[in-house]
Each structure stands twice: as structure tokens, then as C-alpha cells.
Amino acid sequence: MIQVTLKGQEYNAKLDFRTMANIQGELRKRDVKVGFQELFERIQEQDFMVITELIVQSILRCHTQLKRHHIEDKLDLDELTNALSFVAELVQSSITVDEGKQKEEIIPQ
């Protein structure tokens, strides 16, 4: 889980399989069908629709009491640089594996 600040408001966010499924579900409502790999490719290509959905869904995953419009209202051009940095950090944190922890799980002590 990481934190992001949008318009002075701090949010927790996480990118896991549930978040990815939620992103896919929302995109499907717009007739956009993508797999996990294509989602990451579109993020890398800076597809604003996918990036916006990633931000919204990753925050909603931690703040279930919010509605999507609360987050979307804070995503404007002034927050674009912050949002792109957040997306990079979020994706990196979701795919980074703690090697020490992984060894402990694989090799019982």
C-alpha cells in the first residue's frame, strides 16, 4: 500500500489482483476489453483513460466509503505530474518482491 496526495487530500492506495479486476470491469463498461499485460502496456503508453481508472480503483480499494467522483474531481491537469509519479510508484510497489521474504516462504526454517 502506498499513499498519494491529490489536491491536499491524502489517500492510501493499492494495486492487487482485485484492483486490476475492478479496472478491467470498469473499462469493459466502456467496451474496452484488456488483459493484465495490455493494461500495463497502456499505462506505459500513458493512456489517460487507463491511468485514470488505475488511480480511481487503487484508491477505492483502500477507501470503500468514497465514491469515484470524489477522486475524479481531484484529477485535473494541475495534478497530472503528481498522478503519473503516483502511478509509477504504485506499479513498481505492486510488482517488487521482497527477496528476503520470498526466500523465507520458500525455504522453511
Side-chain angles (χ1 to χ4, degrees):
M1 185 172 0
I2 66 166
Q3 293 185 331
V4 62
T5 303
L6 299 173
K7 296 289 186 191
Q9 179 69 43
E10 199 166 281
Y11 300 98
N12 293 323
K14 78 165 119 174
L15 182 58
D16 59 7
F17 284 114
R18 171 51 46 201
T19 305
M20 296 294 286
N22 292 345
I23 293 167
Q24 288 176 312
E26 287 299 318
L27 292 175
R28 221 175 289 119
K29 290 178 184 177
R30 300 177 204 162
D31 290 326
V32 177
K33 296 177 182 164
V34 294
F36 283 0
Q37 183 174 345
E38 188 177 352
L39 277 175
F40 285 108
E41 289 169 358
R42 291 179 100 168
I43 291 166
Q44 188 174 21
E45 295 166 0
Q46 297 185 359
D47 181 324
F48 191 69
M49 177 181 60
V50 173
I51 289 173
T52 300
E53 201 58 49
L54 172 71
I55 293 168
V56 169
Q57 293 302 326
S58 65
I59 292 172
L60 288 176
R61 185 79 170 102
C62 295
H63 299 277
T64 56
Q65 74 281 8
L66 290 177
K67 301 292 184 207
R68 71 179 295 120
H69 71 87
H70 292 125
I71 302 162
E72 288 174 333
D73 290 348
K74 295 179 186 296
L75 291 174
D76 58 21
L77 290 177
D78 292 337
E79 289 293 336
L80 185 59
T81 301
N82 181 34
L84 292 175
S85 296
F86 162 70
V87 167
E89 184 181 352
L90 183 64
V91 170
Q92 184 63 37
S93 72
S94 72
I95 60 175
T96 302
V97 175
D98 182 350
E99 289 183 23
K101 184 176 181 182
Q102 185 179 22
K103 287 177 186 174
E104 289 175 15
E105 291 173 357
I106 295 171
I107 306 169
Q109 296 180 1

